[in-house]
């Protein structure tokens, strides 16, 4: 009954797609459990580069059932475009299953997200403008539409009419255009017709797979520091990327989780607004951004870059109960003379090693660094930790000590093969490996 959860330990964009891809051969089902088309990952398979926003990366493998779980908010237009793109590349999408209970991102959610950000001006969150917050808001307010509603005309009309009553007032108050009921009903019915072959009760699908002993991978989007509860609120997304979200949004119970793999980069990045104590605004930061190609997959926005921060790392490991860590993009730090590692903060004159739950405290945090001498040697071809330059090894060991959890993969380049595989607590279903 192995279920493995893959989570981001930073502010998203840690390279979770590469980790899923690395493990894909041994899994039967890959589940997205939260977020929506605010996420984006690029997967390279052979000659093909595929950018995905909603389908889990497993969709590229014919043996994998790809599940969009109940915790995801689905923009049907994006999903249909993505399915068409995949079909155009000769990929079989018949195993893409979408939870009937997943909520729909409606065009008015997108309009509300954009209008609200414009209204907030300098205080904006810097959202991806995909309607994520308003769609989750309607879910909590019980005004949302679920995927199952897309195929029932009467219910659609009733629910859209109810939702639009106050949506239109709000939109007009922000100078945005109103929506009419009937064109939305027609649009939803067209989406429903196209997507109905993919709709499923995905909780039972996942439960049946686990009962059979199939390996299920639950793939988080964004990262722990963007978590609605655990991140730097209000500069967060509107879902729970942490491992607990895999239970509520993927249809499994906490005791069914076998392993939680936390993914992080050798430095930090953040997209959008919000406190970022270790942010680099100098040439070192620009160099990392350039070498690491730190631009958003969805919006193309340049990502903010900073030194690695162990204060939120310890928090992220704790709230996810991460049992193993994947460290990505170590190669991007090659050539930097001195690498700084944030080990604590000074807040209001006091040293703390604890991630503050208050956003205001975080905004006042001054990072306290430990310096690590860098390395010049290229490390793309290194395949064992022992062959890394000594300074790189010291840096990796320091990260591991702070996390208190083994780093099992170190990525030294974008290719799947450019990976150091380390002390690995084997997953039960690894072929040829005794658990
Ligand atoms: P939203 O999820 O579009 O509402 O955006 C809320 C915050 O999460 C903003 O700071 C976004 O930049 C950030 N965010 C959302 N999705 C991602 C992602 O996939 N990677 C990095 N940041 C993200």
């Amino acid at each position: 009954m192995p279920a493995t959860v893959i989570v981001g330990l930073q502010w998203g964009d840690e390279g979770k797609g590469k980790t899923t891809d690395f493990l894909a051969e041994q899994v039967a089902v890959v589940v997205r459990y939260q977020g929506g088309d605010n996420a984006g990952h690029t997967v390279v398979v052979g000659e093909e580069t595929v950018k995905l926003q909603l389908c889990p990366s497993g969709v590229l493998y014919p043996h994998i059932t790809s599940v969009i779980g109940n915790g995801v908010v689905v923009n049907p237009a994006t999903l249909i475009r993505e399915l068409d793109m995949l079909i155009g590349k000769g990929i079989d999408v018949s195993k893409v299953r979408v939870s009937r209970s997943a909520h729909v991102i409606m065009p008015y959610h997108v309009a509300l997200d954009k209008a609200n950000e414009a209204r907030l001006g300098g205080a904006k969150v810097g959202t991806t403008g995909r309607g994520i917050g308003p769609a989750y808001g309607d879910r909590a307010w019980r005004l949302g539409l679920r995927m199952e509603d897309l195929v029932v005309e009467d219910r659609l009309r009733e629910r859209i009419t109810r939702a639009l009553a106050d949506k239109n007032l709000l939109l007009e108050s922000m100078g945005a255009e109103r929506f009419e009921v009937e064109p939305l009903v027609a649009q939803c019915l067209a989406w429903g017709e196209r997507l109905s072959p993919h709709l499923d009760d995905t909780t039972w699908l996942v439960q049946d797979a686990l009962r059979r002993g199939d390996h299920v991978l639950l793939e988080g989007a964004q990262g722990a520091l963007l978590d609605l509860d655990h991140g730097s609120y209000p500069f967060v997304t509107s879902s729970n990327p942490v491992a607990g979200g895999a239970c509520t949004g993927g249809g499994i119970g906490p005791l069914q989780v076998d392993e939680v793999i936390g993914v992080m980069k050798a430095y930090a990045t953040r997209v959008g607004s919000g406190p970022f104590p270790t942010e680099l605004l100098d040439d070192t930061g620009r160099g990392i951004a350039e070498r690491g190609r730190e631009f958003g997959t969805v919006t193309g926005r340049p990502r903010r870059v900073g030194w690695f921060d162990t204060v939120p790392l310890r928090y992220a490991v704790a709230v996810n109960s991460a049992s193993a860590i994947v460290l990505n993009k170590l190669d991007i730090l090659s050539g930097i003379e001195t690498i700084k590692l944030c080990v604590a903060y000074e807040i209001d004159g006091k040293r703390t090693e604890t991630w503050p739950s208050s956003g205001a405290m975080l905004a006042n945090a001054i990072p306290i660094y430990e310096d690590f001498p860098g390395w010049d040697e290229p490390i793309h071809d290194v395949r064992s930790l022992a062959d890394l330059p000594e300074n790189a090894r010291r840096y990796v060991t320091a990260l591991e000590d702070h996390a208190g959890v083994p780093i099992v993969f170190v990525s030294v380049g974008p290719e799947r093969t450019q990976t150091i595989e380390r002390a690995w607590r084997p997953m039960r279903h690894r072929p040829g490996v005794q658990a």
Side-chain angles (χ1 to χ4, degrees), residues 11-13 38-40 113 125-130 132-133 222 226 236-238 271-273 301:
W11 279 282
D13 310 314
N38 51 349
D113 191 5
V125 173
T127 72
T128 58
R130 296 299 191 269
I132 305 295
Q222 291 88 41
L226 287 174
V236 292
T237 191
S238 300
V271 192
S273 324
R301 289 182 290 179

Side-chain angles (χ1 to χ4, degrees), residues 80-152:
I80 290 167
R81 252 198 325 274
E82 196 163 295
L83 293 173
D84 286 345
M85 177 272 290
L86 291 165
I87 293 166
K89 289 183 186 293
I91 293 163
D92 176 13
V93 297
S94 61
K95 285 186 170 170
V96 174
R97 315 309 302 157
V98 184
S99 168
R100 289 186 218 282
S101 312
H103 274 247
V104 181
I105 299 182
M106 295 291 287
Y108 48 80
H109 291 135
V110 177
L112 282 166
D113 191 5
K114 289 180 176 159
N116 189 50
E117 285 282 278
R119 178 173 64 165
L120 286 171
K124 70 178 182 190
V125 173
T127 72
T128 58
R130 296 299 191 269
I132 305 295
Y136 277 117
D138 269 2
R139 183 177 80 152
W141 217 7
R142 296 164 300 246
L143 279 174
L145 269 83
R146 309 207 308 182
M147 291 303 286
E148 63 188 358
D149 298 329
L150 294 181
V151 291
V152 187

Side-chain angles (χ1 to χ4, degrees), residues 34-229:
Q34 44 69 233
D37 58 350
N38 51 349
H41 44 260
T42 308
V43 189
V44 182
V45 179
E47 307 282 285
E48 287 276 15
T49 300
V50 182
K51 286 183 196 288
L52 297 168
Q53 284 177 258
L54 274 168
C55 291
S57 0
V59 72
L60 303 174
Y61 295 84
H63 69 280
I64 290 181
T65 300
S66 292
V67 173
I68 295 178
N70 59 280
V72 176
V73 281
V74 179
N75 183 328
T78 307
L79 180 57
I80 290 167
R81 252 198 325 274
E82 196 163 295
L83 293 173
D84 286 345
M85 177 272 290
L86 291 165
I87 293 166
K89 289 183 186 293
I91 293 163
D92 176 13
V93 297
S94 61
K95 285 186 170 170
V96 174
R97 315 309 302 157
V98 184
S99 168
R100 289 186 218 282
S101 312
H103 274 247
V104 181
I105 299 182
M106 295 291 287
Y108 48 80
H109 291 135
V110 177
L112 282 166
D113 191 5
K114 289 180 176 159
N116 189 50
E117 285 282 278
R119 178 173 64 165
L120 286 171
K124 70 178 182 190
V125 173
T127 72
T128 58
R130 296 299 191 269
I132 305 295
Y136 277 117
D138 269 2
R139 183 177 80 152
W141 217 7
R142 296 164 300 246
L143 279 174
L145 269 83
R146 309 207 308 182
M147 291 303 286
E148 63 188 358
D149 298 329
L150 294 181
V151 291
V152 187
E153 184 169 345
D154 290 350
R155 199 178 325 148
L156 264 180
R157 187 166 289 108
E158 180 201 316
R159 297 200 66 80
I160 292 173
T161 305
R162 192 182 310 167
L164 274 190
D166 53 354
K167 297 288 176 293
N168 276 336
L169 287 179
L170 197 53
L171 282 165
E172 278 175 340
S173 79
M174 296 192 284
E177 280 183 31
R178 328 171 24 99
F179 284 84
E180 301 301 329
V181 175
E182 287 310 318
L184 284 177
V185 172
Q187 175 69 86
C188 285
L189 287 171
W191 285 335
E193 193 179 341
R194 170 68 201 275
L195 293 174
S196 66
H198 296 278
L199 299 187
D200 216 329
D201 184 337
T202 56
T203 297
W204 281 120
L205 187 157
V206 170
Q207 288 294 334
D208 287 344
L210 290 172
R211 205 171 300 133
R212 280 196 303 272
D214 286 349
H215 189 173
V216 176
L217 203 65
L218 296 114
E219 190 182 51
Q222 291 88 41
L225 309 181
L226 287 174
D227 188 278
L228 181 59
D229 289 271

